[in-house]
PDB file of all heavy atoms in Angstrom:
ATOM      1  N   PRO A 342     180.686 140.804 100.764  1.00 91.00           N
ATOM      2  CA  PRO A 342     181.167 140.421  99.424  1.00 91.00           C
ATOM      3  C   PRO A 342     182.341 139.441  99.488  1.00 91.00           C
ATOM      4  O   PRO A 342     182.553 138.689  98.544  1.00 91.00           O
ATOM      5  CB  PRO A 342     181.613 141.754  98.820  1.00 91.00           C
ATOM      6  CG  PRO A 342     181.026 142.810  99.670  1.00 91.00           C
ATOM      7  CD  PRO A 342     180.794 142.229 101.022  1.00 91.00           C
ATOM      8  N   HIS A 343     183.076 139.440 100.588  1.00 91.00           N
ATOM      9  CA  HIS A 343     184.240 138.554 100.674  1.00 91.00           C
ATOM     10  C   HIS A 343     183.870 137.164 101.161  1.00 91.00           C
ATOM     11  O   HIS A 343     184.503 136.190 100.793  1.00 91.00           O
ATOM     12  CB  HIS A 343     185.294 139.197 101.583  1.00 91.00           C
ATOM     13  CG  HIS A 343     185.652 140.587 101.160  1.00 91.00           C
ATOM     14  ND1 HIS A 343     185.443 141.700 101.952  1.00 91.00           N
ATOM     15  CD2 HIS A 343     186.141 141.059  99.984  1.00 91.00           C
ATOM     16  CE1 HIS A 343     185.809 142.782 101.298  1.00 91.00           C
ATOM     17  NE2 HIS A 343     186.232 142.419 100.097  1.00 91.00           N
ATOM     18  N   THR A 344     182.868 137.092 101.986  1.00 92.00           N
ATOM     19  CA  THR A 344     182.317 135.777 102.412  1.00 92.00           C
ATOM     20  C   THR A 344     180.808 135.890 102.326  1.00 92.00           C
ATOM     21  O   THR A 344     180.134 136.179 103.316  1.00 92.00           O
ATOM     22  CB  THR A 344     182.719 135.427 103.862  1.00 92.00           C
ATOM     23  OG1 THR A 344     182.536 136.601 104.651  1.00 92.00           O
ATOM     24  CG2 THR A 344     184.113 134.945 103.966  1.00 92.00           C
ATOM     25  N   PRO A 345     180.261 135.697 101.131  1.00 91.00           N
ATOM     26  CA  PRO A 345     178.892 136.146 100.869  1.00 91.00           C
ATOM     27  C   PRO A 345     177.768 135.323 101.523  1.00 91.00           C
ATOM     28  O   PRO A 345     176.649 135.804 101.574  1.00 91.00           O
ATOM     29  CB  PRO A 345     178.770 136.078  99.355  1.00 91.00           C
ATOM     30  CG  PRO A 345     179.850 135.184  98.907  1.00 91.00           C
ATOM     31  CD  PRO A 345     180.908 135.143  99.937  1.00 91.00           C
ATOM     32  N   ALA A 346     178.093 134.136 102.040  1.00 90.00           N
ATOM     33  CA  ALA A 346     177.000 133.360 102.634  1.00 90.00           C
ATOM     34  C   ALA A 346     176.384 134.161 103.780  1.00 90.00           C
ATOM     35  O   ALA A 346     177.084 134.886 104.487  1.00 90.00           O
ATOM     36  CB  ALA A 346     177.518 132.027 103.136  1.00 90.00           C
ATOM     37  N   PHE A 347     175.057 134.034 103.942  1.00 89.00           N
ATOM     38  CA  PHE A 347     174.362 134.787 104.988  1.00 89.00           C
ATOM     39  C   PHE A 347     174.951 134.442 106.347  1.00 89.00           C
ATOM     40  O   PHE A 347     175.068 133.271 106.698  1.00 89.00           O
ATOM     41  CB  PHE A 347     172.873 134.450 104.946  1.00 89.00           C
ATOM     42  CG  PHE A 347     172.035 135.373 105.777  1.00 89.00           C
ATOM     43  CD1 PHE A 347     171.535 136.540 105.235  1.00 89.00           C
ATOM     44  CD2 PHE A 347     171.762 135.080 107.099  1.00 89.00           C
ATOM     45  CE1 PHE A 347     170.771 137.399 105.992  1.00 89.00           C
ATOM     46  CE2 PHE A 347     171.001 135.943 107.875  1.00 89.00           C
ATOM     47  CZ  PHE A 347     170.510 137.104 107.313  1.00 89.00           C
ATOM     48  N   ARG A 348     175.328 135.451 107.097  1.00 90.00           N
ATOM     49  CA  ARG A 348     175.943 135.198 108.398  1.00 90.00           C
ATOM     50  C   ARG A 348     174.879 134.748 109.395  1.00 90.00           C
ATOM     51  O   ARG A 348     173.868 135.434 109.569  1.00 90.00           O
ATOM     52  CB  ARG A 348     176.599 136.469 108.928  1.00 90.00           C
ATOM     53  CG  ARG A 348     177.902 136.816 108.240  1.00 90.00           C
ATOM     54  CD  ARG A 348     178.207 138.274 108.417  1.00 90.00           C
ATOM     55  NE  ARG A 348     177.173 139.089 107.748  1.00 90.00           N
ATOM     56  CZ  ARG A 348     177.433 140.150 106.983  1.00 90.00           C
ATOM     57  NH1 ARG A 348     178.672 140.523 106.801  1.00 90.00           N
ATOM     58  NH2 ARG A 348     176.457 140.829 106.407  1.00 90.00           N
ATOM     59  N   PRO A 349     175.113 133.628 110.042  1.00 94.00           N
ATOM     60  CA  PRO A 349     174.136 133.191 111.053  1.00 94.00           C
ATOM     61  C   PRO A 349     173.963 134.249 112.134  1.00 94.00           C
ATOM     62  O   PRO A 349     174.917 134.946 112.487  1.00 94.00           O
ATOM     63  CB  PRO A 349     174.766 131.919 111.623  1.00 94.00           C
ATOM     64  CG  PRO A 349     175.644 131.420 110.539  1.00 94.00           C
ATOM     65  CD  PRO A 349     176.176 132.641 109.834  1.00 94.00           C
ATOM     66  N   ILE A 350     172.733 134.360 112.611  1.00 95.00           N
ATOM     67  CA  ILE A 350     172.442 135.353 113.647  1.00 95.00           C
ATOM     68  C   ILE A 350     171.759 134.677 114.821  1.00 95.00           C
ATOM     69  O   ILE A 350     171.286 133.533 114.706  1.00 95.00           O
ATOM     70  CB  ILE A 350     171.526 136.481 113.108  1.00 95.00           C
ATOM     71  CG1 ILE A 350     170.314 135.879 112.420  1.00 95.00           C
ATOM     72  CG2 ILE A 350     172.291 137.391 112.172  1.00 95.00           C
ATOM     73  CD1 ILE A 350     169.313 136.914 111.953  1.00 95.00           C
ATOM     74  N   THR A 351     171.727 135.356 115.928  1.00 96.00           N
ATOM     75  CA  THR A 351     171.087 134.800 117.123  1.00 96.00           C
ATOM     76  C   THR A 351     169.576 134.948 117.001  1.00 96.00           C
ATOM     77  O   THR A 351     169.087 136.054 116.752  1.00 96.00           O
ATOM     78  CB  THR A 351     171.561 135.546 118.375  1.00 96.00           C
ATOM     79  OG1 THR A 351     172.978 135.599 118.343  1.00 96.00           O
ATOM     80  CG2 THR A 351     171.083 134.854 119.627  1.00 96.00           C
ATOM     81  N   PRO A 352     168.834 133.861 117.152  1.00 97.00           N
ATOM     82  CA  PRO A 352     167.378 133.998 117.037  1.00 97.00           C
ATOM     83  C   PRO A 352     166.764 134.635 118.268  1.00 97.00           C
ATOM     84  O   PRO A 352     167.343 134.588 119.351  1.00 97.00           O
ATOM     85  CB  PRO A 352     166.906 132.553 116.876  1.00 97.00           C
ATOM     86  CG  PRO A 352     167.938 131.745 117.562  1.00 97.00           C
ATOM     87  CD  PRO A 352     169.247 132.482 117.407  1.00 97.00           C
ATOM     88  N   GLU A 353     165.644 135.240 118.081  1.00 97.00           N
ATOM     89  CA  GLU A 353     164.868 135.757 119.208  1.00 97.00           C
ATOM     90  C   GLU A 353     164.310 134.568 119.999  1.00 97.00           C
ATOM     91  O   GLU A 353     164.214 133.462 119.476  1.00 97.00           O
ATOM     92  CB  GLU A 353     163.705 136.617 118.695  1.00 97.00           C
ATOM     93  CG  GLU A 353     164.139 137.878 117.969  1.00 97.00           C
ATOM     94  CD  GLU A 353     164.597 138.970 118.914  1.00 97.00           C
ATOM     95  OE1 GLU A 353     164.148 138.965 120.078  1.00 97.00           O
ATOM     96  OE2 GLU A 353     165.415 139.812 118.495  1.00 97.00           O
ATOM     97  N   PRO A 354     163.936 134.788 121.261  1.00 96.00           N
ATOM     98  CA  PRO A 354     163.510 133.645 122.090  1.00 96.00           C
ATOM     99  C   PRO A 354     162.258 132.952 121.542  1.00 96.00           C
ATOM    100  O   PRO A 354     161.423 133.582 120.897  1.00 96.00           O
ATOM    101  CB  PRO A 354     163.216 134.285 123.447  1.00 96.00           C
ATOM    102  CG  PRO A 354     163.095 135.736 123.194  1.00 96.00           C
ATOM    103  CD  PRO A 354     163.950 136.039 122.013  1.00 96.00           C
ATOM    104  N   PRO A 355     162.155 131.655 121.805  1.00 96.00           N
ATOM    105  CA  PRO A 355     160.962 130.928 121.347  1.00 96.00           C
ATOM    106  C   PRO A 355     159.728 131.372 122.125  1.00 96.00           C
ATOM    107  O   PRO A 355     159.853 131.998 123.187  1.00 96.00           O
ATOM    108  CB  PRO A 355     161.303 129.465 121.656  1.00 96.00           C
ATOM    109  CG  PRO A 355     162.333 129.527 122.714  1.00 96.00           C
ATOM    110  CD  PRO A 355     163.104 130.793 122.502  1.00 96.00           C
ATOM    111  N   PRO A 356     158.559 131.058 121.600  1.00 95.00           N
ATOM    112  CA  PRO A 356     157.337 131.419 122.343  1.00 95.00           C
ATOM    113  C   PRO A 356     157.264 130.656 123.660  1.00 95.00           C
ATOM    114  O   PRO A 356     157.916 129.629 123.824  1.00 95.00           O
ATOM    115  CB  PRO A 356     156.203 131.001 121.406  1.00 95.00           C
ATOM    116  CG  PRO A 356     156.801 130.062 120.429  1.00 95.00           C
ATOM    117  CD  PRO A 356     158.244 130.403 120.325  1.00 95.00           C
ATOM    118  N   VAL A 357     156.475 131.180 124.575  1.00 93.00           N
ATOM    119  CA  VAL A 357     156.274 130.502 125.852  1.00 93.00           C
ATOM    120  C   VAL A 357     155.349 129.314 125.632  1.00 93.00           C
ATOM    121  O   VAL A 357     154.284 129.458 125.035  1.00 93.00           O
ATOM    122  CB  VAL A 357     155.665 131.468 126.885  1.00 93.00           C
ATOM    123  CG1 VAL A 357     155.347 130.746 128.171  1.00 93.00           C
ATOM    124  CG2 VAL A 357     156.606 132.624 127.138  1.00 93.00           C
ATOM    125  N   ALA A 358     155.766 128.160 126.079  1.00 91.00           N
ATOM    126  CA  ALA A 358     154.941 126.959 125.883  1.00 91.00           C
ATOM    127  C   ALA A 358     153.664 127.077 126.697  1.00 91.00           C
ATOM    128  O   ALA A 358     153.661 127.682 127.772  1.00 91.00           O
ATOM    129  CB  ALA A 358     155.734 125.728 126.310  1.00 91.00           C
ATOM    130  N   PRO A 359     152.558 126.500 126.160  1.00 90.00           N
ATOM    131  CA  PRO A 359     151.268 126.677 126.849  1.00 90.00           C
ATOM    132  C   PRO A 359     151.290 126.162 128.284  1.00 90.00           C
ATOM    133  O   PRO A 359     150.637 126.735 129.152  1.00 90.00           O
ATOM    134  CB  PRO A 359     150.290 125.878 125.984  1.00 90.00           C
ATOM    135  CG  PRO A 359     151.123 124.995 125.129  1.00 90.00           C
ATOM    136  CD  PRO A 359     152.425 125.707 124.943  1.00 90.00           C
TER     137      PRO A 359
END
Side-chain angles (χ1 to χ4, degrees):
Chain A
H343 306 118
T344 44
F347 192 88
R348 285 159 296 225
I350 51 176
T351 310
E353 295 283 335
V357 175

